[in-house]
Amino acid sequence: MSSRDLILGRVRAALRDAPPAVAPVPRDYRREFPAADLEILVDRLVDYKAEVYRVPPSEVAATVTAITSRAAAASAPASSAAGNDAAVSRDAAVLVPPGLPEAWRPAGAFPDDGLAPDRIAAADAVLTAAAVAVAETGTIVLDASPDQGRRIITLLPDVHIIVLRPSQVVASVPEAVARLTPGRPLTWISGPSATSDIELNRVEGVHGPRHLHVILLEGDDGD
Amino acid sequence: MTFLGMPAFAPRGVGHLRGDEPFPAAARTALGNSQMRRNLRHATTTIRGKSGRVIAELPDWQDLRSAGSAIKADVMSRLPELLEELETRVTTAGGTVHWAADANEANEIVTRLVRETGSDRVIKVKSMATQEIALNEALEAAGITPVETDLAELIVQLGEDKPSHILVPAIHRNRSEIREIFLRAMPGVDPSLTDDPPVLAAAARRYLRETFLSTRVAVSGANFAIAETGTLAVVESEGNGRMCLTLPDTLITVMGIEKILPTWRDLEVFLQLLPRASTGERMNPYTTMWTGVTPGDGPQNFHLVLLDNGRSAVLADEVGRQALHCIRCSACLNVCPVYERTGGHAYGSVYPGPIGAILSPQLTGIEDNASLPYASTLCGACFDACPVKIDIPSILVHLRNQAPHPRAERAVMATASRVMQNPRLYARAQRAAKLARIVGRRGRGLPPPFSGWTAGRDLPEFPDQTFRDWWAAR
């Protein structure tokens, strides 16, 4: 007898000898929601230490450049910060998925065309779109579409910048689950990498990107 | 002898479901550790506050609990068909499904799969199922090095310690103890390490980075498996889960057969319940969902190991089977007055606290964990806190009835039952009870062989006149 048949036989025997009462699942929890409130999304994102920028689509590339140059200045050693302008002024190496809109790409953007992990890890930042965002929880979901790329590219760089269209924001978790396609690899992101393992307090910055920046598009919903 | 096809307990001699000593003895030792008690009180107070605040944000929390409870009951009632459906979906999506009747078989399967890759090292995402079956010990015996990548698991592994909490296995350690463990056991650690939590987290990041990038096999557990789609989900915080689920060539997931959910939509309930009940967050930082193998993205070899190891025996108990509804959030630990004082080690099993007190004895058979159903005051805080409404106090009482009782106790209880069913005998017994005042004066307790009963209890004060006597003389 295979273990498969053994286990299924045991489970069937357990249910046969003590049949469970079957009742319908009461789905009385909230399932109708008003349009997503972007202010709530921003509040939740900031609460989890993500940085939020609200700009029109035409300013995405410039915003990315501003983020990466500030990050470079912050991580440069204090001794070289004064005189060594070259280190700060070079274009940051921003990794982008192959399907990211051209207009969003800053100078220094390089696409993922099957890069090796060490090349990905060496990027100063990664810039992607998203699939869905949940206002109530401050969550952004990536589904590996061409404008979001393979899962690895948003994992190894220390800075992750996400461009979000207002139409992608829903109010609640049930709406997000309904919008997503189950077969795709999904990554639900709520703030930067964090842990609660030391005295059960949340501390940001363990293995995933330690900095999460969200560019929420204003006005026109883009392309 | 067990009959093939009949529900079976988790076998002895393997895994971490049985302690070395009964709960009362282990608890007595643990209560002497005042540092641990301070750490636990601080941590559980923090998490209760956080969890309470984010739960209060949801006006439909009770409705979500009811739905979660009913979905799990539905899963149990048709587990065979759901398991077969999951197997079909995972296989169709490019994964391979294995069935493990117990801990030994699961360990053999995982060891064989790792050997076939040629790797002598695996990276691990925190998983209760692999702790339960002692997979790390089995891998080490086969010459394979398991590296725990969850921060708390790493603290436990480097400290050669045992986990004491479902969610935060190192909850019994405070920041300065963690710093000492890192300084002692983490290769290449910066000697000027401070006990600032972000600094400690950064040390773990540096230490594990190269291991993540160079290890070709990962082992994980799973929080949910969707029968309808074959999708697996791992809920985590640090990104170590994403690393393990994304970077290696081969992913091996070990999952208890009860973790299944029928439909994709059911996630809308559990993704609201779990983070708020467990870490007290609106949503945990990272959740990864994958369905079989995706060409060009993530592990190209995926194995799912479905584990019984006593679960079918739990399912056979009409009352106790609710314990299989558990989603491992650990809210019941965080509110339990007993857990807060004794810590997790005293329970002897990887499943501590109230849920452990009902799950461990059912997985092993009551004889092997007979004291655990008593590791509770029956205050009911765990029932209130449980996001899927497991009636833990009722199951505790149910298991106390099943636990072996000493012959003298059984005789006394049988007599009491006879007396209480007969009014004349009962009246006589009430008058006779006054004798107890003579044998056991207040503060002194009863003489042997009843002294054990009064060791931890005060004898009630008996009145001079019983109610019946007063009524008759009125």
Side-chain angles (χ1 to χ4, degrees):
Chain A
M1 182 187 266
S2 72
S3 293
R4 179 184 190 279
D5 294 341
L6 176 65
I7 294 170
L8 288 172
R10 286 172 175 177
V11 172
R12 288 199 177 95
L15 294 170
R16 186 181 58 234
D17 297 343
V22 187
V25 174
R27 296 192 188 261
D28 302 327
Y29 51 88
R30 292 173 302 155
R31 286 161 58 206
E32 302 290 326
F33 295 87
D37 185 338
L38 296 182
E39 302 306 322
I40 291 183
L41 175 71
V42 172
D43 174 79
R44 301 300 194 247
L45 286 167
V46 170
D47 192 32
Y48 281 167
K49 307 287 194 293
E51 293 185 40
V52 182
Y53 312 80
R54 304 181 73 168
V55 301
S58 58
E59 287 175 26
V60 169
T63 308
V64 172
T65 302
I67 292 168
T68 51
S69 43
R70 255 189 299 123
S75 64
S79 55
S80 67
N84 193 350
D85 285 55
V88 179
S89 63
R90 83 170 163 89
D91 290 329
V94 178
L95 179 59
V96 300
L100 193 82
E102 291 289 343
W104 292 355
R105 302 184 186 197
F110 66 107
D112 169 42
D113 48 9
L115 295 173
D118 55 340
R119 286 287 311 282
I120 296 170
D124 292 313
V126 57
L127 171 68
T128 70
V132 181
V134 183
E136 196 168 270
T137 60
T139 304
I140 297 169
V141 189
L142 308 186
D143 72 356
S145 291
D147 58 0
Q148 296 150 58
R150 301 186 288 158
R151 283 175 287 170
I152 187 174
I153 68 168
T154 53
L155 182 56
L156 297 181
D158 207 18
V159 178
H160 185 185
I161 307 168
I162 299 177
V163 182
L164 201 56
R165 301 180 178 92
S167 63
Q168 294 177 313
V169 183
V170 296
S172 69
V173 172
E175 292 165 288
V177 170
R179 277 204 192 188
L180 291 164
T181 311
R184 307 192 66 87
L186 301 176
T187 306
W188 296 56
I189 297 172
S190 307
S193 163
T195 181
S196 298
D197 282 354
I198 302 169
E199 301 175 7
L200 275 176
N201 261 316
R202 182 162 166 144
V203 174
E204 279 71 26
V206 199
H207 302 296
R210 286 183 285 191
H211 306 278
L212 178 67
H213 300 267
V214 179
I215 299 176
L216 182 55
L217 297 184
E218 270 182 343
D220 174 34
D221 214 79
D223 33 359
Chain B
M1 135 124 216
T2 53
F3 295 96
L4 284 181
M6 290 310 289
F9 295 121
R12 291 178 181 158
V14 60
H16 296 302
L17 287 171
R18 296 165 174 88
D20 299 329
E21 53 184 355
F23 181 81
R28 188 165 295 122
T29 313
L31 288 171
N33 185 344
S34 55
Q35 180 66 58
M36 184 206 71
R37 290 175 62 181
R38 264 196 300 277
N39 296 350
L40 273 174
R41 190 176 61 237
H42 173 65
T44 54
T45 306
T46 305
I47 194 73
R48 285 196 298 265
K50 284 172 63 183
S51 185
R53 279 191 294 278
V54 294
I55 285 173
E57 287 180 1
L58 291 189
D60 54 349
W61 181 253
Q62 297 305 334
D63 297 319
L64 287 165
R65 289 178 77 209
S66 299
S69 170
I71 291 169
K72 282 293 189 177
D74 175 47
V75 167
M76 297 313 146
S77 73
R78 48 197 189 97
L79 194 51
E81 60 175 278
L82 293 175
L83 285 167
E84 288 176 313
E85 188 182 2
L86 177 70
E87 180 186 40
T88 305
R89 295 290 165 216
V90 170
T91 309
T92 307
T96 308
V97 176
H98 309 260
W99 300 72
D102 57 32
N104 287 316
E105 190 174 12
N107 288 336
E108 283 162 21
I109 292 170
V110 177
T111 305
R112 174 171 55 77
L113 292 172
V114 177
R115 280 213 174 115
E116 283 171 7
T117 67
S119 178
D120 59 359
R121 188 173 64 189
V122 300
I123 43 178
K124 284 190 69 206
V125 198
K126 188 176 124 41
S127 132
M128 293 308 295
T130 62
Q131 284 281 1
E132 171 189 326
I133 63 177
L135 177 64
N136 287 3
E137 288 84 338
L139 290 172
E140 279 163 6
I144 298 162
T145 306
V147 182
E148 293 290 354
T149 64
D150 171 78
L151 179 55
E153 290 279 11
L154 180 68
I155 294 163
V156 167
Q157 196 177 38
L158 290 177
E160 296 179 9
D161 199 352
K162 285 181 175 171
S164 73
H165 189 275
I166 290 175
L167 179 74
V168 192
I171 193 173
H172 56 290
R173 299 291 194 187
N174 65 20
R175 59 184 76 187
S176 62
E177 293 170 288
I178 294 167
R179 171 179 173 267
E180 282 161 28
I181 291 169
F182 280 10
L183 285 176
R184 191 171 65 237
M186 183 182 277
V189 72
D190 179 356
S192 64
L193 189 75
T194 69
D195 68 358
D196 189 24
V199 172
L200 294 170
R205 177 186 172 97
R206 263 193 309 279
Y207 169 64
L208 285 175
R209 219 357 117 104
E210 175 53 32
T211 307
F212 281 131
L213 289 169
S214 61
T215 307
R216 289 177 294 120
V217 187
V219 174
S220 84
N223 291 95
F224 308 108
I226 311 298
E228 175 187 49
T229 62
T231 306
L232 278 287
V234 164
V235 170
E236 52 129 359
S237 294
E238 297 163 18
N240 64 308
R242 291 177 69 190
M243 294 277 179
C244 292
L245 300 168
T246 308
L247 298 180
D249 304 327
T250 301
L251 170 62
I252 306 166
T253 298
V254 181
M255 183 188 100
I257 53 175
E258 82 284 18
K259 288 277 172 170
I260 220 162
L261 295 178
T263 67
W264 172 254
R265 181 193 174 193
D266 293 324
L267 282 172
E268 73 186 22
V269 175
F270 290 91
L271 287 179
Q272 294 193 75
L273 289 172
L274 182 55
R276 292 181 199 253
S278 63
T279 49
E281 294 166 305
R282 297 185 185 103
M283 191 64 87
N284 51 290
Y286 298 132
T287 296
T288 296
M289 297 180 191
W290 73 100
T291 307
V293 170
T294 305
D297 188 346
Q300 296 301 294
N301 306 293
F302 171 54
H303 298 274
L304 176 62
V305 182
L306 297 171
L307 175 73
D308 180 353
N309 204 40
R311 285 161 177 78
S312 54
V314 185
L315 190 65
D317 186 317
E318 267 175 286
V319 178
R321 62 166 60 123
Q322 265 190 78
L324 296 177
H325 297 186
C326 175
I327 55 173
R328 311 282 188 264
C329 73
S330 64
C332 63
L333 280 60
N334 300 332
V335 300
C336 179
V338 176
Y339 176 86
E340 183 177 325
R341 285 159 182 83
T342 66
H345 293 154
Y347 294 79
S349 159
V350 291
Y351 301 111
I355 186 63
I358 61 169
L359 190 56
S360 308
Q362 295 197 86
L363 289 171
T364 62
I366 188 81
E367 293 78 13
D368 288 7
N369 272 307
S371 64
L372 283 185
Y374 294 90
S376 168
T377 63
L378 301 179
C379 75
C382 48
F383 187 14
D384 290 342
C386 178
V388 292
K389 295 212 283 194
I390 300 172
D391 185 354
I392 295 175
S394 292
I395 302 175
L396 286 167
V397 172
H398 172 72
L399 294 175
R400 288 180 185 189
N401 286 331
Q402 292 181 351
H405 294 268
R407 184 198 290 265
E409 186 189 324
R410 273 183 289 145
V412 169
M413 287 301 166
T415 309
S417 164
R418 259 202 316 282
V419 168
M420 287 178 172
Q421 286 172 47
N422 182 320
R424 282 198 16 236
L425 280 180
Y426 184 65
R428 250 186 275 164
Q430 278 192 320
R431 283 193 286 274
K434 279 189 259 179
L435 291 172
R437 286 198 300 169
I438 299 157
V439 292
R441 212 162 289 140
R442 213 174 151 67
R444 234 180 36 199
L446 290 168
F450 305 107
S451 51
W453 197 83
T454 48
R457 300 171 178 87
D458 287 335
L459 268 185
E461 185 98 48
F462 290 98
D464 293 333
Q465 189 183 31
T466 69
F467 175 78
R468 282 159 185 264
D469 288 341
W470 172 81
W471 185 261
R474 182 178 54 106

